[in-house]
């Protein structure tokens, strides 16, 4: 019974985290202040080729896992696609629900962007605490880190930089926020991870 209860808590934190990440991504998109490099790439791909942001997110997730598989020379981590599918579906849902939200006032854009970044970081903290299958982007980043003996910060920056270059080439919505994310994401995620971990431990003792 204890094992079942523990698993249910992990699943709950996992799902809450992924839903928050999806919501945060949508909020940064509507902020129109620049979104994450890969999100900007996905938006550009939607403009050029159609489909949806969530669909392109999942297409890239398949590619990330393929790259990780080649680097590690191990089996394809198909279970990580579950994480991507939930986030992708969530992003498309929230993009639809928030499609009428437009912030024309210049001073509102950075505030909405910051809100979106906080939501993503909070979600990342929750989903990381669950210790369930990682986001394909994070998994590829860790494979790059281990194989090339890089720091997490450098590996994360490298992965994000590739997304930004692609977004620029495709004419995606790269802005001030895109570059701010590279700087502030690490500390924000670490902060909210500590909070989520504390909350998880309190639930475990209850």
């Amino acid at each position: 019974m204890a094992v079942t209860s523990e698993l249910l808590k992990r699943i709950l934190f996992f799902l809450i985290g992924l839903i928050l990440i999806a919501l945060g991504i949508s909020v940064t998109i509507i902020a129109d202040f620049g979104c994450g490099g890969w999100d900007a790439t996905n938006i550009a791909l939607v403009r050029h080729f159609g489909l949806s942001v969530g669909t392109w997110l999942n297409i890239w997730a398949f590619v990330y896992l393929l790259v990780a598989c080649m680097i590690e020379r191990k089996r394809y981590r198909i279970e990580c696609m579950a994480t991507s599918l939930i986030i992708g579906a969530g992003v498309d849902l929230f993009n639809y629900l928030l499609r009428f939200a437009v912030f024309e006032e210049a001073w509102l854009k950075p505030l909405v962007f910051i809100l979106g970044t906080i939501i993503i970081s909070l979600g990342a903290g929750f989903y990381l605490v669950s210790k369930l299958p990682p986001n394909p982007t994070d998994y590829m980043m860790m494979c790059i880190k281990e194989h090339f003996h890089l720091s997490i910060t450098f590996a994360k920056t490298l992965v994000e930089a590739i997304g930004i270059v692609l977004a620029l080439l495709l004419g995606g919505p790269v802005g001030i926020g895109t570059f701010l994310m590279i700087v502030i994401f690490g500390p924000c995620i670490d902060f909210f991870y500590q909070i989520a971990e504390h909350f998880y431990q309190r639930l475990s003792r209850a």
Side-chain angles (χ1 to χ4, degrees):
M1 186 67 181
V3 175
T4 303
S5 176
E6 182 71 15
L7 180 59
L8 286 174
K9 276 184 290 194
R10 288 183 182 277
I11 292 173
L12 180 63
F13 271 65
F14 180 74
L15 292 176
I16 289 174
L18 297 186
I19 291 170
L20 287 173
I21 289 173
L23 174 60
I25 290 172
S26 293
V27 171
T28 59
I29 290 173
I30 65 171
D32 193 26
F33 193 66
C35 49
W38 287 102
D39 296 326
T41 296
N42 292 334
I43 292 170
L45 287 169
V46 171
R47 292 172 179 172
H48 288 295
F49 304 107
L51 302 179
S52 68
V53 173
T55 301
W56 283 109
L57 187 150
N58 286 314
I59 290 172
W60 281 115
F62 182 86
V63 174
Y64 302 151
L65 292 177
L66 186 60
V67 171
C69 179
M70 290 189 293
I71 291 175
E72 282 197 320
R73 297 184 180 180
K74 294 181 180 178
R75 71 174 182 84
Y76 190 89
R77 290 286 301 275
I78 189 66
E79 66 272 17
C80 292
M81 281 301 298
T83 306
S84 180
L85 290 170
I86 294 171
I87 294 176
V91 169
D92 285 345
L93 173 62
F94 288 121
N95 280 348
Y96 176 77
L97 294 176
L98 299 174
R99 67 190 185 282
F100 298 118
V102 178
F103 302 96
E104 296 182 354
E105 297 85 349
W107 62 272
L108 267 177
K109 295 178 185 290
L111 294 181
V112 176
F113 166 80
I114 291 171
L115 174 63
T117 303
I118 290 172
I119 294 172
I120 295 174
S121 301
L122 178 61
F126 268 77
Y127 117 83
L128 288 171
V129 164
S130 75
K131 303 294 191 298
L132 291 176
N135 185 310
T137 313
D138 295 335
Y139 180 62
M140 181 181 70
M141 177 195 71
M142 292 305 295
C143 290
I144 292 173
K145 170 193 175 296
E146 296 295 334
H147 186 78
F148 296 103
H149 308 290
L150 304 173
S151 67
I152 291 179
T153 300
F154 188 86
K156 178 70 173 175
T157 302
L158 177 63
V159 171
E160 285 300 313
I162 293 171
I164 291 172
V165 170
L166 284 174
L168 287 170
L169 291 174
L170 292 167
V174 175
I176 296 173
T178 306
F179 298 96
L180 281 177
M181 278 187 169
I182 296 178
V183 178
I184 65 178
F185 248 144
C188 283
I189 291 174
D190 184 59
F191 174 76
F192 285 112
Y193 176 82
Q194 299 300 326
I195 292 176
E197 178 71 21
H198 177 71
F199 183 48
Y200 184 87
Q201 294 302 328
R202 287 192 62 181
L203 283 178
S204 297
R205 292 193 296 266

